[in-house]
């Protein structure tokens, strides 16, 4: 049974330039449709066009058939009554979609009351049943969002999104930045909805997730579909050159980076204990980060990776111990590449204006900015737009450009490629490796074990909550030793 059928759906910007060329696709009950592709190739815009949620400055053309009714993609108002009832969007950041002041079950009950018009008692009962079906009992249902683990919060957000009875789930990069265990959990969550006759459209850069989901695949590049068909067949024997390159760029297939002699110490932590909210995340850690070296950090969500980086940068005071940074180097040479690139740019300013300010501050010329744009494979036209008007992967690379203008001696890179397709990811990691070769010391956080294995000179695994040690006591940092 076909749940959604799109015919020649295309997306244009205000000047009439096509951002997505006509795409036709079909979503069947019980079979996932996975979209892979280049960053900036129009995956998110295509999904938005199918749901009638494009931003006002963009417009679409084409026909979308959902739940037996035909919709004109050029008339997004017509889609509104489908939201929550026929189509649910699985939010990538569950925390952002949950109300922090409302208990888990109440959030799901509210959706039942608002979208389906259930009376309070019936809504509460329905919410409890939804959560139970996802393995969350009464006790979990009484918790506030901050008391839930990331995986639990995602299940609550999922239940709330689907409470209106939507059969179609659209998930845009549902696993970006998640470690393998949580990625598998999300894959199970998405597949479970299919078992009861639902439909799933999943956009992802994660080749492992794509394989876990299976079903049909669309590969996109530069606003057009380059290949489509059964996922397993395409993974086994890709027809398009681009698809082959995409699969080859999987970090598991990268060669290992050659090790070089490390330079002098740039940042040191001695008997470092880093806490948040009174809980020690890292305890008694000794580490020395040297010029020219890439140190990989991994560990489950919430284990303190970002807090450790902030402590080394002097942005977060350690509970115990000391941090020493190399002397005679400007404060601005210690840089952080934020996990969430949105936080690197003011929302309402053109990206170019922000970057021009940063360039001026560091005495960099326009030509240097242009050279960096080219190195990062970014079109100069992006600079005229605001942060929300570029793709996730474009913004992530612009954040790296911003940091590079400061000529960092120490770079804390927190999941710097989580929003990139495998090919672009490889380019960005190569660039970070070049920075290291030029003498920068890099602390690289990633959930991707293969990526760290191929890239880092040595690695560190942080323990985390949810593990046995974490109940009250701090989980120790464990050095994994040298790679390569
Ligand atoms: N509001 C906008 N105005 C003009 N162009 C836009 C706007 N939003 C996105 N674009 C452009 O449209 C293209 C496709 O964007 P889209 O967000 O769909 O990419 P994507 O495939 O989802 O990429 P990623 O994998 O990086 O998320 C990009 O080049 C982007 O810069
Ligand atoms: Mg996107």
């Amino acid at each position: 049974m076909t749940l959604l059928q799109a015919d020649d759906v295309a997306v244009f910007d205000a000047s009439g330039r096509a951002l997505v060329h006509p795409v036709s696709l079909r979503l069947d009950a019980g079979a996932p449709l996975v979209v892979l592709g280049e960053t900036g190739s129009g995956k998110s815009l295509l999904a938005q066009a199918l749901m009638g949620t494009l931003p006002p400055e963009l417009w679409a053309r084409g026909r979308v058939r959902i739940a037996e009714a035909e919709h004109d993609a050029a008339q997004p108002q017509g889609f509104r009554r489908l939201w929550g009832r026929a189509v649910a969007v699985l939010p990538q950041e569950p925390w952002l979609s949950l109300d922090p002041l409302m208990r888990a079950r109440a959030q799901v009950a509210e959706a039942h009351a608002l979208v389906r018009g259930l009376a309070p008692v019936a809504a509460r009962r329905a919410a409890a049943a939804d959560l139970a079906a996802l393995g969350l009992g009464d006790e979990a249902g009484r918790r506030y969002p901050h008391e839930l683990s990331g995986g639990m919060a995602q299940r609550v957000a999922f239940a709330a999104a689907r409470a209106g009875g939507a059969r179609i789930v659209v998930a845009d990069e549902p696993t970006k930045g998640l470690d393998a265990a949580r990625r598998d959990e999300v894959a199970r969550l998405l597949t479970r909805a299919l078992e009861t006759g639902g439909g799933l459209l999943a956009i992802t850069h994660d080749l492992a997730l794509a394989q876990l989901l299976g079903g049909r695949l669309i590969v996109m590049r530069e606003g057009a579909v380059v290949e489509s068909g059964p996922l397993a067949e395409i993974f086994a024997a890709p027809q398009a050159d681009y698809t082959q390159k995409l699969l080859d760029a999987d970090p598991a297939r990268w060669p290992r980076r050659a090790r070089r002699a490390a330079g002098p110490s740039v940042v040191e932590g001695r008997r470092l204990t880093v806490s948040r909210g009174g809980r020690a995340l890292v305890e008694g850690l000794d580490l020395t980060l040297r010029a020219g070296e890439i140190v990989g950090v991994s560990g489950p969500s919430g284990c303190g990776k970002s807090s450790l980086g902030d402590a080394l940068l002097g942005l977060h005071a350690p509970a115990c111990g000391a941090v020493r940074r190399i002397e005679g180097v400007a404060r601005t040479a210690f840089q952080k590449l934020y996990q969430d690139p949105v936080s690197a740019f003011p929302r309402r300013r053109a990206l170019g204006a922000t970057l021009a300010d940063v360039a001026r501050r560091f005495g960099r010329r326009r030509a240097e900015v242009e050279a960096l744009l080219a190195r990062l494979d970014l079109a100069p036209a992006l600079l005229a737009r605001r942060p929300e008007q570029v793709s996730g992967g474009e913004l992530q690379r612009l954040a790296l450009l911003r940091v590079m203008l400061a000529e960092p001696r120490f770079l804390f890179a927190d999941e710097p490629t989580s929003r990139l397709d495998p090919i672009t990811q490889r380019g960005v990691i190569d660039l970070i490796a070049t920075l290291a070769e030029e003498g920068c010391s890099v602390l690289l956080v990633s959930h991707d074990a293969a990526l760290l294995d191929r890239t880092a000179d040595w690695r560190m695994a942080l323990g985390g909550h949810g593990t046995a040690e974490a109940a009250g006591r701090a989980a120790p940092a464990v050095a994994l030793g040298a790679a390569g």
Side-chain angles (χ1 to χ4, degrees):
M1 184 189 155
T2 299
L3 296 177
L4 182 154
Q5 164 123 23
D7 292 305
D8 293 327
V9 171
V11 180
F12 304 87
D13 68 8
S15 71
R17 189 173 62 100
L19 298 172
V20 176
H21 299 285
V23 174
S24 298
L25 57 83
R26 211 181 67 208
L27 195 62
D28 289 331
L33 178 65
V34 176
V35 183
L36 281 176
E38 192 177 28
T39 155
S41 62
K43 304 179 297 296
S44 298
L45 294 183
L46 172 63
Q48 287 165 24
L50 296 177
M51 294 181 288
T53 56
L54 282 173
E57 68 269 24
L58 303 181
W59 54 282
R61 220 156 51 194
R63 288 172 310 283
V64 185
R65 204 175 167 77
I66 299 175
E68 310 292 304
E70 180 108 0
H71 299 269
D72 180 354
Q75 311 279 326
Q77 323 77 267
F79 288 78
R80 194 152 296 166
R81 50 178 201 81
L82 301 171
W83 299 345
R85 293 182 175 86
V87 189
V89 179
L90 177 63
Q92 203 281 318
E93 322 283 0
W95 312 106
L96 294 184
S97 74
L98 295 175
D99 181 340
L101 300 176
M102 221 181 187
R103 295 176 195 272
R105 191 183 66 179
Q107 317 228 4
V108 182
E110 185 181 54
H112 278 290
L114 289 179
V115 186
R116 288 175 62 203
L118 292 190
V121 176
R124 270 201 301 278
R125 207 173 291 140
D130 290 349
L131 290 175
L134 294 170
L136 297 172
D138 283 347
E139 191 275 321
R142 279 193 298 274
R143 294 199 204 168
Y144 288 99
H146 74 271
E147 299 169 326
L148 300 166
S149 76
M152 290 166 111
Q154 199 145 26
R155 277 180 275 166
V156 174
F158 186 71
R162 293 199 76 214
R167 283 185 74 184
I168 300 171
V169 174
V170 176
D172 194 351
E173 294 194 46
T175 58
K176 79 174 172 253
L178 300 186
D179 54 60
R182 280 199 52 209
R183 177 195 63 211
D184 295 354
E185 199 176 312
V186 172
R188 277 196 295 277
L189 187 65
L190 294 173
T191 329
R192 195 153 343 140
L194 290 166
E195 284 159 9
T196 50
L200 171 67
L201 176 72
I203 300 171
T204 184
H205 288 310
D206 186 333
L207 301 176
L209 175 72
Q211 273 181 298
L212 284 171
L213 294 175
R216 291 183 65 80
L217 174 68
I218 288 182
V219 183
M220 287 184 73
R221 191 185 184 205
E222 291 174 354
V225 173
V226 297
E227 182 161 8
S228 68
L231 185 138
E233 280 176 26
I234 295 180
F235 267 64
Q239 299 300 305
D241 245 19
Y242 176 73
T243 314
Q244 179 73 59
K245 287 202 188 98
L246 194 70
L247 300 180
D248 285 342
D250 190 338
R253 302 191 192 181
W254 295 2
R256 200 163 262 154
R257 185 174 141 260
R259 286 192 80 189
R260 296 159 184 263
S265 151
V266 177
V267 183
E268 285 174 25
R270 288 292 161 256
R271 307 198 62 74
L272 203 57
T273 295
V274 180
S275 308
R276 289 274 185 199
R279 199 164 60 91
L281 297 163
V282 171
E283 205 171 33
L285 179 70
D286 282 313
L287 89 172
T288 304
L289 303 170
R290 298 176 182 283
E293 205 173 52
I294 300 179
V295 175
V297 181
S298 59
S301 156
C303 73
K305 303 182 293 286
S306 303
S307 304
L308 171 63
D310 285 350
L312 294 170
L313 284 163
L315 299 173
H316 176 66
C320 274
V323 173
R324 268 204 305 272
R325 282 178 290 273
I326 189 171
E327 279 171 25
V329 170
R331 199 77 183 79
T332 51
F334 296 84
Q335 283 283 335
K336 170 174 178 168
L337 190 53
Y338 285 87
Q339 184 168 12
D340 175 8
V342 176
S343 49
F345 295 97
R347 293 289 285 275
R348 304 199 174 281
R349 279 191 93 198
L351 292 156
T354 302
L355 290 174
D357 286 351
V358 177
R360 206 171 305 123
R361 171 137 184 255
F362 292 107
R364 309 295 291 264
R365 281 170 295 115
R366 216 193 139 81
E368 291 176 275
V369 177
E370 278 159 15
L372 281 173
L373 279 171
R375 243 174 120 179
L376 287 160
D377 202 12
L378 289 165
L382 298 179
L383 299 184
R385 301 199 206 131
R386 292 191 307 277
E388 77 268 18
Q389 295 176 314
V390 299
S391 83
E394 287 162 346
L395 195 61
Q396 199 163 35
R397 278 172 290 157
L398 287 161
L400 177 59
L401 190 154
R402 184 199 166 123
V403 156
M404 289 176 74
L405 289 172
E407 299 193 292
R409 295 283 300 273
F410 171 70
L411 175 63
F412 173 52
D414 200 351
E415 296 277 9
T417 59
S418 57
R419 287 162 174 79
L420 303 180
D421 66 73
I423 297 174
T424 312
Q425 162 169 278
R426 175 129 194 226
V428 165
I429 292 291
D430 282 347
L431 192 62
I432 289 175
T434 309
L435 275 183
E437 266 157 44
E438 291 165 0
C440 186
S441 163
V442 179
L443 189 65
L444 175 65
V445 173
S446 175
H447 66 278
D448 188 327
L451 185 150
L452 288 184
D453 178 60
R454 304 303 187 275
T455 312
D457 292 296
W458 55 278
R459 295 199 280 152
M460 216 163 51
L462 299 186
H465 60 207
T467 63
E469 311 94 300
R473 282 188 294 131
V478 184
L480 286 183

